[in-house]
């Protein structure tokens, strides 16, 4: 055990995700177990800049494992992007006698953590928490599984009304520049087409496929569109384009939006958050730093923040093939 680590800070940053509270709980409880202090910083890097923190013990995190959102709040701090902002954060961490930070968030969070640790030699550990699942070095990020289930439940409901009215629905899902949510929820909900940023289906092929669906006797259709899709049109323009070219279709658009980020975390996300954060505390105590913990082939592993940021977490191409076959 590394005796220089006596007080660990934890924060959540970037877009919140279901399971972040389970992660905070696991950090606080592991610190209590190993007899070290835990400090929670509010609103991610912004709380570090403002010195806005709370001392946490095992009881501070009671009954939060099932709650969505994050009790520490989250933000995307613009000030932390500046050297002055990071200096304020470093000064405040020193004043608060914090020896290391656990950063729960996505790639923006890890980028900030990496620069900070390079500039100030301050130990940080990243924990992947984002619904997007777009982080390399882990098969799953905290919140992704819950978001997928939220999306599938929503599309099932849309399917009911689509089928009653013989309509074509375009459903936009989150994922910024990554198609994980779209691809997996699309397969899970039996979508006719899935448009993701990793693959440019092209407008002509979309029209062809929808025409083919209609001719094969389908009366309703669902097209799942990732918000970062590269087809060059937003979901409303896409719907207009299809209506113009295939006037037989009665089309509607649903943008699922931030509903995907809320809700009680699934069991998978709670267990993932718990495993990753116990490991994060243990790694700090073992003298490790500037790494991200992740789940690879059901084992908790870690890689440098640099590799987590550099690498690419690829979508499962086979799912596209499966979706094609099953939407026949
Ligand atoms: O990164 C998580 C995410 O939910 C993305 O999928 C989405 O593009 C973005 O955050 C939305 O951010 P905001 O909450 O700032 O609108």
């Amino acid at each position: 055990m590394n005796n220089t680590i006596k007080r660990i800070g934890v924060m959540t940053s970037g877009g919140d995700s279901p399971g972040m509270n389970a992660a905070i709980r696991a950090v606080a409880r592991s610190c209590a177990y190993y007899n070290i202090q835990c400090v929670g910083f509010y609103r991610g890097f912004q709380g570090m800049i403002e010195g806005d923190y709370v001392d946490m013990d095992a009881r501070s995190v009671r009954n939060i494992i099932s709650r969505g959102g994050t009790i520490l709040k989250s933000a995307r701090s613009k000030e932390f992007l500046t050297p002055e902002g990071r200096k304020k954060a470093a000064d405040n961490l020193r004043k608060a006698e914090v020896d290391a930070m656990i950063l729960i968030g996505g790639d923006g969070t890890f980028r900030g953590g990496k620069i900070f640790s390079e500039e100030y030699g301050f130990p940080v550990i990243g924990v992947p928490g984002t619904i997007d699942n777009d982080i390399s070095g882990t098969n799953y990020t905290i919140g992704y599984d819950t978001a997928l289930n939220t999306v599938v439940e929503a599309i099932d409901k849309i399917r009911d009304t689509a089928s009653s009215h013989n309509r074509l629905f375009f459903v936009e899902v989150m994922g910024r520049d990554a198609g994980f949510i779209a691809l997996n929820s699309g397969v899970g909900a039996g979508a006719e087409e899935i448009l993701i940023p990793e693959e440019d289906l092209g407008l002509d092929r979309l029209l062809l496929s929808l025409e083919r669906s209609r001719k094969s006797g389908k009366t309703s259709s669902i097209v799942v569109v990732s918000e970062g899709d590269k087809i060059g049109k937003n979901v409303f323009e896409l719907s207009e384009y299809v209506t113009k070219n295939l006037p037989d279709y009665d089309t509607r658009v649903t943008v699922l939006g931030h509903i995907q980020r809320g809700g009680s975390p699934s069991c998978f996300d709670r267990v993932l958050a718990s495993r990753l954060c116990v490991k994060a505390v243990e790694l700090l105590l073992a003298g490790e730093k500037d790494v991200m913990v992740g789940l690879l082939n059901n084992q908790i592993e870690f890689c440098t923040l640099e590799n987590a940021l550099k690498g690419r977490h690829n979508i499962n191409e086979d799912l596209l093939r499966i979706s094609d076959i099953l939407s026949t």
Side-chain angles (χ1 to χ4, degrees), residues 16-21 67-69 131 142-144 146-147 260-266 269:
D16 64 343
S17 68
M20 279 185 163
N21 279 328
R67 280 170 55 190
I131 62 164
I142 299 165
Y144 170 62
T146 308
Q260 296 162 90
R261 290 233 299 255
S264 178
S266 65
D269 278 329

PDB file of all heavy atoms in Angstrom, residues 16-21 67-69 131 142-144 146-147 260-266 269:
ATOM      1  N   ASP A  16     -23.776  13.457 -17.824  1.00  0.00           N
ATOM      2  CA  ASP A  16     -23.989  12.466 -16.757  1.00  0.00           C
ATOM      3  C   ASP A  16     -24.436  11.134 -17.353  1.00  0.00           C
ATOM      4  O   ASP A  16     -24.854  11.074 -18.514  1.00  0.00           O
ATOM      5  CB  ASP A  16     -25.004  12.983 -15.710  1.00  0.00           C
ATOM      6  CG  ASP A  16     -26.387  13.175 -16.303  1.00  0.00           C
ATOM      7  OD1 ASP A  16     -26.518  13.224 -17.546  1.00  0.00           O
ATOM      8  OD2 ASP A  16     -27.350  13.292 -15.525  1.00  0.00           O
ATOM      9  N   SER A  17     -24.320  10.081 -16.562  1.00  0.00           N
ATOM     10  CA  SER A  17     -24.768   8.775 -17.064  1.00  0.00           C
ATOM     11  C   SER A  17     -25.242   7.939 -15.885  1.00  0.00           C
ATOM     12  O   SER A  17     -24.701   8.056 -14.780  1.00  0.00           O
ATOM     13  CB  SER A  17     -23.645   8.067 -17.823  1.00  0.00           C
ATOM     14  OG  SER A  17     -22.612   7.698 -16.954  1.00  0.00           O
ATOM     15  N   PRO A  18     -26.269   7.092 -16.127  1.00  0.00           N
ATOM     16  CA  PRO A  18     -26.797   6.275 -15.033  1.00  0.00           C
ATOM     17  C   PRO A  18     -25.715   5.314 -14.525  1.00  0.00           C
ATOM     18  O   PRO A  18     -25.099   4.604 -15.315  1.00  0.00           O
ATOM     19  CB  PRO A  18     -27.948   5.501 -15.678  1.00  0.00           C
ATOM     20  CG  PRO A  18     -28.243   6.195 -16.967  1.00  0.00           C
ATOM     21  CD  PRO A  18     -26.976   6.848 -17.403  1.00  0.00           C
ATOM     22  N   GLY A  19     -25.492   5.336 -13.229  1.00  0.00           N
ATOM     23  CA  GLY A  19     -24.434   4.495 -12.660  1.00  0.00           C
ATOM     24  C   GLY A  19     -23.320   5.345 -12.070  1.00  0.00           C
ATOM     25  O   GLY A  19     -22.445   4.839 -11.363  1.00  0.00           O
ATOM     26  N   MET A  20     -23.355   6.647 -12.343  1.00  0.00           N
ATOM     27  CA  MET A  20     -22.309   7.508 -11.767  1.00  0.00           C
ATOM     28  C   MET A  20     -22.413   7.512 -10.237  1.00  0.00           C
ATOM     29  O   MET A  20     -21.403   7.556  -9.538  1.00  0.00           O
ATOM     30  CB  MET A  20     -22.412   8.932 -12.317  1.00  0.00           C
ATOM     31  CG  MET A  20     -21.782   9.080 -13.692  1.00  0.00           C
ATOM     32  SD  MET A  20     -21.786  10.782 -14.268  1.00  0.00           S
ATOM     33  CE  MET A  20     -20.546  10.681 -15.589  1.00  0.00           C
ATOM     34  N   ASN A  21     -23.651   7.464  -9.717  1.00  0.00           N
ATOM     35  CA  ASN A  21     -23.794   7.436  -8.255  1.00  0.00           C
ATOM     36  C   ASN A  21     -23.249   6.132  -7.671  1.00  0.00           C
ATOM     37  O   ASN A  21     -22.638   6.132  -6.599  1.00  0.00           O
ATOM     38  CB  ASN A  21     -25.261   7.604  -7.856  1.00  0.00           C
ATOM     39  CG  ASN A  21     -25.669   9.070  -7.891  1.00  0.00           C
ATOM     40  OD1 ASN A  21     -24.842   9.954  -7.623  1.00  0.00           O
ATOM     41  ND2 ASN A  21     -26.917   9.328  -8.227  1.00  0.00           N
ATOM     42  N   ARG A  67     -29.869   5.331  -7.807  1.00  0.00           N
ATOM     43  CA  ARG A  67     -30.312   6.631  -8.345  1.00  0.00           C
ATOM     44  C   ARG A  67     -29.577   7.050  -9.602  1.00  0.00           C
ATOM     45  O   ARG A  67     -28.360   6.934  -9.704  1.00  0.00           O
ATOM     46  CB  ARG A  67     -30.124   7.722  -7.282  1.00  0.00           C
ATOM     47  CG  ARG A  67     -31.261   7.709  -6.261  1.00  0.00           C
ATOM     48  CD  ARG A  67     -30.984   8.610  -5.080  1.00  0.00           C
ATOM     49  NE  ARG A  67     -30.676   9.987  -5.446  1.00  0.00           N
ATOM     50  CZ  ARG A  67     -30.208  10.885  -4.581  1.00  0.00           C
ATOM     51  NH1 ARG A  67     -29.995  10.539  -3.328  1.00  0.00           N
ATOM     52  NH2 ARG A  67     -29.958  12.115  -4.977  1.00  0.00           N
ATOM     53  N   GLY A  68     -30.340   7.569 -10.581  1.00  0.00           N
ATOM     54  CA  GLY A  68     -29.730   8.106 -11.805  1.00  0.00           C
ATOM     55  C   GLY A  68     -29.072   9.444 -11.512  1.00  0.00           C
ATOM     56  O   GLY A  68     -29.127   9.943 -10.378  1.00  0.00           O
ATOM     57  N   GLY A  69     -28.454  10.041 -12.502  1.00  0.00           N
ATOM     58  CA  GLY A  69     -27.774  11.334 -12.318  1.00  0.00           C
ATOM     59  C   GLY A  69     -26.522  11.166 -11.478  1.00  0.00           C
ATOM     60  O   GLY A  69     -25.963  10.067 -11.368  1.00  0.00           O
ATOM     61  N   ILE A 131     -22.849   7.536 -21.569  1.00  0.00           N
ATOM     62  CA  ILE A 131     -23.791   6.614 -22.239  1.00  0.00           C
ATOM     63  C   ILE A 131     -23.291   6.237 -23.633  1.00  0.00           C
ATOM     64  O   ILE A 131     -23.766   5.279 -24.211  1.00  0.00           O
ATOM     65  CB  ILE A 131     -25.222   7.210 -22.353  1.00  0.00           C
ATOM     66  CG1 ILE A 131     -25.240   8.483 -23.210  1.00  0.00           C
ATOM     67  CG2 ILE A 131     -25.825   7.444 -20.989  1.00  0.00           C
ATOM     68  CD1 ILE A 131     -26.646   8.876 -23.666  1.00  0.00           C
ATOM     69  N   ILE A 142     -19.814   3.094 -18.081  1.00  0.00           N
ATOM     70  CA  ILE A 142     -20.926   3.135 -17.116  1.00  0.00           C
ATOM     71  C   ILE A 142     -22.070   3.980 -17.688  1.00  0.00           C
ATOM     72  O   ILE A 142     -21.863   5.126 -18.082  1.00  0.00           O
ATOM     73  CB  ILE A 142     -20.441   3.745 -15.776  1.00  0.00           C
ATOM     74  CG1 ILE A 142     -19.324   2.894 -15.170  1.00  0.00           C
ATOM     75  CG2 ILE A 142     -21.609   3.921 -14.804  1.00  0.00           C
ATOM     76  CD1 ILE A 142     -18.558   3.600 -14.053  1.00  0.00           C
ATOM     77  N   GLY A 143     -23.247   3.413 -17.757  1.00  0.00           N
ATOM     78  CA  GLY A 143     -24.423   4.148 -18.231  1.00  0.00           C
ATOM     79  C   GLY A 143     -24.917   3.692 -19.590  1.00  0.00           C
ATOM     80  O   GLY A 143     -26.080   3.894 -19.955  1.00  0.00           O
ATOM     81  N   TYR A 144     -24.029   3.057 -20.330  1.00  0.00           N
ATOM     82  CA  TYR A 144     -24.376   2.645 -21.697  1.00  0.00           C
ATOM     83  C   TYR A 144     -25.497   1.599 -21.685  1.00  0.00           C
ATOM     84  O   TYR A 144     -26.482   1.716 -22.425  1.00  0.00           O
ATOM     85  CB  TYR A 144     -23.118   2.105 -22.369  1.00  0.00           C
ATOM     86  CG  TYR A 144     -23.318   1.416 -23.697  1.00  0.00           C
ATOM     87  CD1 TYR A 144     -23.840   2.098 -24.781  1.00  0.00           C
ATOM     88  CD2 TYR A 144     -22.949   0.071 -23.864  1.00  0.00           C
ATOM     89  CE1 TYR A 144     -24.006   1.457 -26.014  1.00  0.00           C
ATOM     90  CE2 TYR A 144     -23.105  -0.561 -25.088  1.00  0.00           C
ATOM     91  CZ  TYR A 144     -23.635   0.130 -26.152  1.00  0.00           C
ATOM     92  OH  TYR A 144     -23.790  -0.501 -27.349  1.00  0.00           O
ATOM     93  N   THR A 146     -27.782   0.983 -19.435  1.00  0.00           N
ATOM     94  CA  THR A 146     -29.071   1.566 -19.030  1.00  0.00           C
ATOM     95  C   THR A 146     -29.666   2.373 -20.186  1.00  0.00           C
ATOM     96  O   THR A 146     -30.859   2.278 -20.486  1.00  0.00           O
ATOM     97  CB  THR A 146     -28.878   2.491 -17.807  1.00  0.00           C
ATOM     98  OG1 THR A 146     -28.178   1.769 -16.800  1.00  0.00           O
ATOM     99  CG2 THR A 146     -30.210   2.975 -17.266  1.00  0.00           C
ATOM    100  N   ALA A 147     -28.817   3.175 -20.834  1.00  0.00           N
ATOM    101  CA  ALA A 147     -29.291   4.002 -21.944  1.00  0.00           C
ATOM    102  C   ALA A 147     -29.859   3.120 -23.060  1.00  0.00           C
ATOM    103  O   ALA A 147     -30.921   3.411 -23.626  1.00  0.00           O
ATOM    104  CB  ALA A 147     -28.167   4.871 -22.481  1.00  0.00           C
ATOM    105  N   GLN A 260     -32.486   9.663 -22.526  1.00  0.00           N
ATOM    106  CA  GLN A 260     -31.512   8.551 -22.582  1.00  0.00           C
ATOM    107  C   GLN A 260     -30.464   8.631 -21.480  1.00  0.00           C
ATOM    108  O   GLN A 260     -29.771   7.669 -21.204  1.00  0.00           O
ATOM    109  CB  GLN A 260     -30.784   8.561 -23.938  1.00  0.00           C
ATOM    110  CG  GLN A 260     -31.702   8.301 -25.103  1.00  0.00           C
ATOM    111  CD  GLN A 260     -31.084   8.736 -26.426  1.00  0.00           C
ATOM    112  OE1 GLN A 260     -30.415   7.963 -27.080  1.00  0.00           O
ATOM    113  NE2 GLN A 260     -31.311   9.974 -26.837  1.00  0.00           N
ATOM    114  N   ARG A 261     -30.303   9.789 -20.888  1.00  0.00           N
ATOM    115  CA  ARG A 261     -29.264   9.932 -19.869  1.00  0.00           C
ATOM    116  C   ARG A 261     -29.785   9.709 -18.448  1.00  0.00           C
ATOM    117  O   ARG A 261     -28.990   9.662 -17.506  1.00  0.00           O
ATOM    118  CB  ARG A 261     -28.632  11.326 -19.990  1.00  0.00           C
ATOM    119  CG  ARG A 261     -27.790  11.498 -21.245  1.00  0.00           C
ATOM    120  CD  ARG A 261     -26.401  11.989 -20.912  1.00  0.00           C
ATOM    121  NE  ARG A 261     -26.444  13.264 -20.271  1.00  0.00           N
ATOM    122  CZ  ARG A 261     -26.127  14.425 -20.864  1.00  0.00           C
ATOM    123  NH1 ARG A 261     -25.747  14.435 -22.120  1.00  0.00           N
ATOM    124  NH2 ARG A 261     -26.171  15.538 -20.200  1.00  0.00           N
ATOM    125  N   GLY A 262     -31.128   9.629 -18.312  1.00  0.00           N
ATOM    126  CA  GLY A 262     -31.676   9.546 -16.956  1.00  0.00           C
ATOM    127  C   GLY A 262     -32.078   8.143 -16.565  1.00  0.00           C
ATOM    128  O   GLY A 262     -31.880   7.184 -17.304  1.00  0.00           O
ATOM    129  N   GLY A 263     -32.620   8.064 -15.363  1.00  0.00           N
ATOM    130  CA  GLY A 263     -33.194   6.801 -14.896  1.00  0.00           C
ATOM    131  C   GLY A 263     -32.276   6.006 -13.998  1.00  0.00           C
ATOM    132  O   GLY A 263     -31.064   6.219 -13.947  1.00  0.00           O
ATOM    133  N   SER A 264     -32.916   5.074 -13.305  1.00  0.00           N
ATOM    134  CA  SER A 264     -32.188   4.198 -12.390  1.00  0.00           C
ATOM    135  C   SER A 264     -31.264   3.280 -13.196  1.00  0.00           C
ATOM    136  O   SER A 264     -31.678   2.696 -14.197  1.00  0.00           O
ATOM    137  CB  SER A 264     -33.229   3.383 -11.619  1.00  0.00           C
ATOM    138  OG  SER A 264     -32.591   2.496 -10.751  1.00  0.00           O
ATOM    139  N   PRO A 265     -30.010   3.151 -12.784  1.00  0.00           N
ATOM    140  CA  PRO A 265     -29.085   2.315 -13.558  1.00  0.00           C
ATOM    141  C   PRO A 265     -29.462   0.840 -13.557  1.00  0.00           C
ATOM    142  O   PRO A 265     -30.004   0.335 -12.574  1.00  0.00           O
ATOM    143  CB  PRO A 265     -27.737   2.521 -12.860  1.00  0.00           C
ATOM    144  CG  PRO A 265     -28.048   3.064 -11.518  1.00  0.00           C
ATOM    145  CD  PRO A 265     -29.349   3.792 -11.629  1.00  0.00           C
ATOM    146  N   SER A 266     -29.161   0.173 -14.648  1.00  0.00           N
ATOM    147  CA  SER A 266     -29.390  -1.278 -14.736  1.00  0.00           C
ATOM    148  C   SER A 266     -28.433  -1.982 -13.775  1.00  0.00           C
ATOM    149  O   SER A 266     -27.427  -1.399 -13.348  1.00  0.00           O
ATOM    150  CB  SER A 266     -29.119  -1.758 -16.162  1.00  0.00           C
ATOM    151  OG  SER A 266     -27.744  -1.577 -16.483  1.00  0.00           O
ATOM    152  N   ASP A 269     -24.880  -1.871 -15.050  1.00  0.00           N
ATOM    153  CA  ASP A 269     -24.136  -0.624 -14.816  1.00  0.00           C
ATOM    154  C   ASP A 269     -23.731  -0.456 -13.357  1.00  0.00           C
ATOM    155  O   ASP A 269     -22.661   0.079 -13.055  1.00  0.00           O
ATOM    156  CB  ASP A 269     -24.959   0.579 -15.288  1.00  0.00           C
ATOM    157  CG  ASP A 269     -24.831   0.781 -16.790  1.00  0.00           C
ATOM    158  OD1 ASP A 269     -23.762   0.461 -17.341  1.00  0.00           O
ATOM    159  OD2 ASP A 269     -25.796   1.248 -17.425  1.00  0.00           O
TER     160      ASP A 269
END
